[in-house]
Structure formats: C-alpha cells, structure tokens
Amino acid sequence: MRSDAVKVGIERAPHRALLKALGVSDTDLKKPFIGVVNSYTNIIPGHIHLNQVADAVKTGVVSAGGVPFEFNTIGICDGIAMGHNGMRYSLPSRELIADSVEVMVQAHRFDGIVLITTCDKITPGMLMAAARLNIPAIMVTGGPMLSGFYKGKKVGTDSMFEAIGKVAAGKMSEEELKCLEDVACPGCGSCNGMFTANTMACVTEALGMSLPGCATPPAVSAERLRVAKATGERVVGLVKEDLKPRDILSPGSFENAIMVDMALGGSTNTVLHVTAIANEAGVDLPLSTFDKLSRRVSHICSMIPSGPYDMKELDEAGGIPAVMKQLENTLNLNAATVTGKTVKENIASAVVLNPEVIRPLDNPVHKEGGIAILTGNLAPDGSVVKAAGISDNMMLHEGPAKIFDSEEDAMKAIMNKKIQKGDVVVVRYEGPKGGPGMREMLSPTATIAGMGLSESVALITDGRFSGATRGPCIGHVAPEAAVGGPIGLLEEGDIIEIDVPKRKLGVKLSDEELAKRAKSWTTKEPNVKTGYLARYSQLVQSAHKGSVLKKL
C-alpha cells in the first residue's frame, strides 16, 4: 500500500509513534489509510453541514476496513463574494484548493481519498487534484438547498439579485425586498437551481467520479447521509481494486459529462472547469468539443434560473441517472465509473419519474444543448453563452456597444438608467489575467433582468457570468482585453452583432480598422500588484484553455 511509506519497517518507528499519538492501533496500521478531504466552513451555506457529511463518510470508511484521516481545504461563497473585489479571488481559489489537496495527500501518503465538496470552485478544484494525484479517489457533494417561497412562488439567490433591479425600477419596495431576503435561502446546501455548484455536482456524477444518485438529493435529506456513508465504504474498494481517476476520466467520460450538462442547461462556468479537469487528466478538450456536443444533444430539463424546476424536483424525477437514461443512445456507455461498473450498468434500471421535469427527446425544451460557443472577429479564440437562458427573440441581436472597463462602472450606469433598449453592454478587463481572477458577474445581469431589459439588452465580457445568469450574456471572450484582444479595441457606439444559431460574435469593423486600433493599444495598469492575485495574473492562461496556470 502507498501508506506503507509512513508505517512499515524499523526506520518508520518514529512515524508509527506519531500515528499512535492519534489513537491509531497496531491493527489500524495494517489497514488502508484514507484521506477525507472536507471543505467545511461556516461562511458558505453549501458547506455549513459538511461536517455531518464527513462523519457519515468516516463511518463508511471504518465499516469497510479503512482508517479515515480528515483534513480541510478553503472555500469561497460566490454569492457573498459577488459584486466587489472579493470575487477576484474566487476562480484563483480553484488552483489553491487543488494544490492544497496535493500537498496534504503527497505528504501523508494516503492510499485513497474521499473529496467532500459542494460549491462552485471547490468541486472542480478537488477534481483537478484527484486527476493530478491519480490515486484511488471518489467525490461526494453536499447537495442542493431547498427553494424558498415568497408570495407562493419559488425563490432563491437569483431572486435576490434580480430584486435589486426591481427596486431600482420602482417595481418593488424596500420593505418587500426585506421580506424576500428573509425567505430566499431557507437553509444549508448549494443554491436551489442549475447554477454552477449544482451543475458541477451533476457533471461530477456524469463523469463517473461520484456514486449514482449523488448529485441531486437535498442537503437536508437522509439520502445525502446514506450516499456519504456508501461513498466512504466504496473508497476502500477502490483502493483494493486500484481503480484510479485517470482510469475513469477518459475522453468518453468527459463527453458524457458535457452531454449531461447540455441536457440540463447548466452554467457556462462548467466550460472553464471541465476543460481544467481534462487538462489535469491529460485529455485534450478543445472548445469545439462543447459546441459539437451541444448540437448533438437536446436541452431536456427546464431548470431554475431559466425554467420553473428546482433541484429537489430534478431529484424526485429520477436525478442524473434518469437524465443519462434519456441520453442513452448518445452516451459513451462503456465509460468506467467509481462504482467499478460501466455507465451502461449504472443506469440500467434508471427510470424517469416525471416527464415534465426530465423531458423525452422528442419533446425537448430546446432542440440543441444549453451552452453555445461563439466565435468571430470579436472572439477569435471563442466565447461562451448559456443558450438555454436566452429567449427566441434575442438569439439574434445587433446594437451599439456601451463600454465599461470594470463591473463597478457597468453597474453604476445600469442603476443610473443609462442603458437603453438595444444596447450591448461590454464589460472588459475582467478576464483571468486582466481582472485579475475573471470575476463572475451576477449583479449587472440580474439587475438588467429585474429592470425588464433582458429581452432587449445584451451583455458581453472577457470575465464570467454567474450560473444564475439568464438572458443574452456572453462571457469568456478570448483573447481578453488585457492581452490586446479585440474586446479591448472596441469604442463606444461600435455595432456588435450576435448570432447564436450561427455561433457568431462580431463587431462591424474591417480587419484594417481593427489592425489600426491594435497598433495604438497600450497595456492597462494592472488592478492588483501584490499578493497571490499578482502572482496568479502572471501564470494564468486564457479562458479558452480553462484559465489554468502555465506549467513550469
């Protein structure tokens, strides 16, 4: 076993003495050592209950004949970090999480690991670590939050951000806003819809890295604890079978995960994260793969924020196994999973229990998948849009650019009613290098929606949009402004053309005019000059490469 490096032989007597100080017995020394990686913190609603999940995991490890050792990682709540400088740290935290897991696992020579996670950057960071380390590993996600209810309607975090726009437009009073904030988030778990955290949980299950049925049971359910216990038991089996992440994370598995994402209409952020995980697994995954699969797979689940159904309803409809059963004819059914069985075997008995929530393929929400990749003279290396969140009348849009060099400037203009119908709001210098950190933006998009402009105003950025965003919001524009990308060459009033069906994002300027502007472009003074973000900005690569760090 890998852990023999710290427990076998005369020369390891000091190590055994230290382990015995923890209460480890001679019998325990003969068992597999399992790292239980817990991202518990009491600042994130999706993580506040993870100690209870970890206890269930550890019970499972012990019952299967392993010895669990728990340690923690950091975690950032994107909702709390949203709309201010704190969001610059969210995406960069993904790399710190992956690194911290690597450091702890390599130093202590665990035989296998269980990764306990819930939210946006923590889940991909842990998957990146699993792929990098390539020792037996399994994920368990903490589950979604229940919906709140206000005036008889489901509400959640996205409702709060959109309410800001309603207040600004005079459609909601501040008293009503207070009533809404008291009920929008009723307890622990990741926000109730198909936002980034829940999308990544579903992607993890579709990848084969968590047990079937793991992604969707609510955080407060007993099923969540049963899945956690079974996960702890299964990791010992993975160690005995020597089944490792790179045995599971094949090109076919990544395609399965993308197809499930497309069917769910998930967050655009998954494009960044799945690409980054594939990079660690040694799998080539260009942006074109996402678009190819989007054209192949229909959007069949109309989930919050663009549709009516929440995660609890998806779970009651059969969860991810049922979604995968609907996609059976397009999936790579022989792909391996942490169960030791193939995808085909895992979903053999899956049944769709509510065809309104998980629609049949002959009655989809949209004929194509939920995410589209747009290219053109404004995004030569690509850009990403959540097509599932766009109304039919905004699939084609042409309008004048309103230019802002930060989210704050854009938000100020929106709140001061300086954005008109037909405009294209351009928020630049928010990319991975230029931000730095590629801030996720929900305040501008939600405020525009709350003001009733999401049917007439488009937004584009070299930064990111929240998984809670809906409407014609195009992010990840590459190359970014900070490296001289075309988005950095735009001027006020330039006419932007958006054609989602034809996958085009362009500006009505000649190649000669763009070349002329490029010659006079100068580098903008960096927003951050010290600390982790300054180092991050020097190493981070483009969004179309997953915003991963350069390998030294």
Side-chain angles (χ1 to χ4, degrees):
M1 288 190 291
R2 196 169 180 268
S3 59
D4 287 352
V6 298
K7 63 187 184 184
V8 174
I10 295 174
E11 67 278 15
R12 296 297 180 246
H15 305 68
R16 291 193 296 273
L18 289 167
L19 289 166
K20 287 180 177 180
L22 305 173
V24 174
S25 68
D26 286 329
T27 302
D28 289 336
L29 290 171
K30 298 173 184 177
K31 299 175 182 178
F33 280 11
I34 305 298
V36 177
V37 190
N38 187 359
S39 55
Y40 163 82
T41 170
N42 66 357
I43 190 62
I44 309 178
H47 292 236
I48 194 169
H49 64 301
L50 291 188
N51 279 346
Q52 189 177 11
V53 174
D55 286 344
V57 167
K58 289 183 287 186
T59 297
V61 170
V62 172
S63 69
V67 183
F69 296 92
E70 185 178 352
F71 64 91
N72 286 82
T73 68
I74 61 168
I76 288 176
C77 177
D78 279 21
I80 296 173
M82 195 80 65
H84 54 83
N85 275 333
M87 181 47 73
R88 298 191 194 281
Y89 290 86
S90 177
L91 183 60
S93 75
R94 186 188 71 180
E95 317 306 311
L96 286 175
I97 290 162
D99 289 350
S100 67
V101 175
E102 176 193 356
V103 166
M104 287 293 289
V105 171
Q106 294 289 47
H108 298 103
R109 313 313 293 170
F110 296 120
D111 297 301
I113 47 175
V114 179
L115 301 143
I116 305 171
T117 171
T118 302
C119 289
D120 299 32
K121 310 310 170 300
I122 300 93
T123 299
M126 289 192 177
L127 280 168
M128 289 166 68
R132 184 188 304 174
L133 290 162
N134 201 35
I135 67 168
I138 185 170
M139 302 277 289
V140 59
T141 45
M145 186 185 293
L146 298 176
S147 293
F149 284 87
Y150 181 65
K151 294 185 177 180
K153 294 183 179 181
K154 293 190 197 88
V155 292
T157 313
D158 58 320
S159 309
M160 290 308 309
F161 282 92
E162 291 190 11
I164 295 169
K166 291 179 181 179
V167 172
K171 299 177 181 179
M172 177 182 278
S173 69
E174 290 190 32
E175 290 76 17
E176 289 175 308
L177 181 69
K178 169 65 165 61
C179 292
L180 179 60
E181 77 177 59
D182 287 343
V183 299
C185 300
C188 65
S190 47
C191 299
N192 65 330
M194 196 54 68
F195 312 132
T196 305
N198 288 323
T199 307
M200 282 307 305
C202 296
V203 162
T204 300
E205 186 176 330
L207 274 171
M209 285 299 295
S210 62
L211 293 178
C214 178
T216 57
V220 295
S221 66
E223 177 63 13
R224 176 57 48 199
L225 298 180
R226 291 196 293 268
V227 170
K229 184 177 179 182
T231 299
E233 293 171 347
R234 180 59 194 146
V235 73
V236 179
L238 290 174
V239 171
K240 292 175 179 177
E241 296 159 24
D242 198 30
L243 183 59
K244 298 173 182 175
R246 292 191 193 178
D247 299 325
I248 295 165
L249 296 172
S250 64
S253 294
F254 281 103
E255 288 187 354
N256 287 347
I258 293 168
M259 286 188 275
V260 168
D261 189 4
M262 296 301 172
L264 293 169
S267 166
T268 53
N269 286 314
T270 57
V271 177
L272 280 177
H273 299 323
V274 172
T275 302
I277 297 159
N279 177 69
E280 291 286 359
V283 173
D284 183 40
L285 196 64
L287 271 182
S288 58
T289 302
F290 291 85
D291 205 63
K292 177 187 73 175
L293 296 175
S294 178
R295 293 182 184 276
R296 183 191 302 176
V297 178
S298 296
H299 173 213
I300 60 173
C301 299
S302 188
M303 304 294 296
I304 291 171
S306 305
Y309 300 112
D310 64 13
M311 291 299 294
K312 180 174 180 287
E313 289 166 309
L314 178 61
D315 185 61
E316 291 167 346
I320 300 309
V323 174
M324 296 181 79
K325 190 70 173 179
Q326 291 289 67
L327 304 178
E328 193 169 19
N329 290 334
T330 61
L331 295 177
N332 299 290
L333 295 175
N334 291 324
T337 73
V338 288
T339 64
K341 300 176 182 178
T342 64
V343 168
K344 182 177 182 178
E345 292 171 308
N346 283 348
I347 66 173
S349 61
V351 177
V352 175
L353 300 175
N354 187 338
E356 295 298 316
V357 178
I358 303 173
R359 294 196 189 187
L361 295 177
D362 60 4
N363 182 32
V365 184
H366 297 103
K367 290 182 69 175
E368 294 187 347
I371 292 174
I373 307 299
L374 311 186
T375 58
N377 69 347
L378 192 49
D381 291 335
S383 62
V384 183
V385 64
K386 189 173 183 175
I390 306 176
S391 64
D392 290 342
N393 66 321
M394 285 299 286
M395 288 288 185
L396 297 171
H397 184 76
E398 183 177 303
K402 293 291 182 73
I403 309 292
F404 304 98
D405 286 351
S406 72
E407 179 188 1
E408 287 82 359
D409 289 347
M411 191 63 185
K412 189 182 300 182
I414 294 166
M415 292 294 287
N416 289 333
K417 300 183 174 64
K418 293 183 178 179
I419 304 303
Q420 307 300 318
K421 289 183 178 180
D423 287 345
V424 179
V425 176
V426 178
V427 187
R428 62 191 184 185
Y429 293 99
E430 291 285 5
K433 185 177 291 289
M438 204 177 183
R439 284 195 289 182
E440 181 176 286
M441 290 174 248
L442 180 54
S443 294
T445 61
T447 304
I448 280 177
M451 295 173 79
L453 295 173
S454 62
E455 295 292 302
S456 59
V457 171
L459 296 93
I460 69 171
T461 183
D462 52 8
R464 301 180 296 127
F465 289 120
S466 165
T469 292
R470 59 186 175 92
C473 303
I474 302 166
H476 310 193
V477 172
E480 62 176 293
V483 297
I487 191 172
L489 308 179
L490 292 177
E491 295 176 0
E492 195 82 5
D494 285 342
I495 301 301
I496 307 296
E497 297 177 297
I498 300 167
D499 188 332
V500 176
K502 291 185 178 179
R503 305 299 201 254
K504 295 294 183 184
L505 176 63
V507 56
K508 280 191 168 182
L509 295 173
S510 67
D511 292 344
E512 291 76 17
E513 175 62 20
L514 284 170
K516 178 183 174 183
R517 292 186 187 184
K519 286 182 180 178
S520 60
W521 177 84
T522 55
T523 305
K524 183 174 175 283
E525 188 75 8
N527 291 315
V528 179
K529 298 179 182 179
T530 60
Y532 174 57
L533 287 184
R535 298 196 304 275
Y536 177 86
S537 68
Q538 295 300 309
L539 292 173
V540 70
Q541 298 185 79
S542 173
H544 77 285
K545 295 183 178 180
S547 297
V548 297
L549 302 184
K550 295 175 185 174
K551 286 184 167 60
L552 301 178

